[in-house]
Amino acid sequence: MPSSENLADEIDEARQQYAALCYRLAKTKKKKTIEVLLITSRDTGRWVTPKGWPMANKAPHEVAEQEAFEEAGIKGKVSDTPVGNFRYLKRLGDGTSVTCVVEIFPLLVRKAKARFPERDERVRKWASPEEAAEMVDESELKSLLIDFAGRLGG
């Protein structure tokens, strides 16, 4: 187990990303249900949230909103308050890997467009937060998905 000093060094060396936790609400006769959106990554095909690198002249939640559209065709209302963050290991184009810390912002989906920039490179899937937690690899993201559902009463 790394020492707290080593962990601090790892976080200092980590690269920042911003993600959208895209969700929609549905009411049935008995209760309100929540679904979250996952997409496949372009390189490994694993299930992830739309995310990307910081952008000049954009606030973190605006980056998350733009990535949601580019990677998943999602339009909606993004919160400027993150629900948390998670870490993962990103493989770069040169074959090296870097630890990324991803700050994740909830985005209430209003529209899911059929035409969007990365439509031919990704698959979209709606799932309950519990199902989504089973699909993703990152343990911190699993916890965020379950916690988020609890906050919304799902």
Side-chain angles (χ1 to χ4, degrees):
M1 180 167 194
S3 72
S4 59
E5 185 175 294
N6 289 345
L7 184 57
D9 288 344
E10 179 183 316
I11 291 170
D12 287 343
E13 294 174 17
R15 305 258 319 260
Q16 181 70 58
Q17 288 191 311
Y18 303 111
L21 176 51
C22 303
Y23 70 100
R24 63 186 181 187
L25 305 172
K27 290 183 182 176
T28 63
K29 290 181 180 180
K30 296 185 180 188
K31 67 176 189 169
K32 176 174 64 170
T33 61
I34 299 166
E35 290 184 312
V36 296
L37 180 74
L38 295 178
I39 58 173
T40 53
S41 68
R42 288 188 292 189
D43 54 349
T44 64
R46 64 190 174 74
W47 292 105
V48 298
T49 56
K51 64 183 167 302
W53 304 108
M55 296 177 194
N57 303 317
K58 284 198 184 284
H61 69 283
E62 294 171 326
V63 172
E65 181 178 38
Q66 182 168 328
E67 294 296 335
F69 175 71
E70 289 177 5
E71 296 183 359
I74 296 300
K75 291 288 191 175
K77 180 171 175 42
V78 67
S79 171
D80 61 0
T81 304
V83 294
N85 62 63
F86 66 94
R87 287 183 297 262
Y88 80 105
L89 200 58
K90 166 102 177 143
R91 191 173 339 155
L92 302 176
D94 65 3
T96 62
S97 295
V98 62
T99 298
C100 291
V101 175
V102 183
E103 195 168 28
I104 191 164
F105 296 86
L107 188 153
L108 178 58
V109 175
R110 292 193 175 133
K111 290 182 184 174
K113 303 249 183 196
R115 294 181 53 81
F116 55 96
E118 297 182 17
R119 68 185 172 276
D120 295 331
E121 303 172 68
R122 300 183 186 272
V123 174
R124 298 187 291 199
K125 180 162 178 60
W126 288 100
S128 72
E130 296 80 13
E131 291 168 325
E134 290 295 320
M135 295 168 66
V136 300
D137 291 339
E138 299 81 10
S139 60
E140 294 167 322
L141 180 54
K142 289 176 186 289
S143 296
L144 283 171
L145 290 165
I146 299 300
D147 292 348
F148 181 71
R151 287 183 206 173
L152 293 180

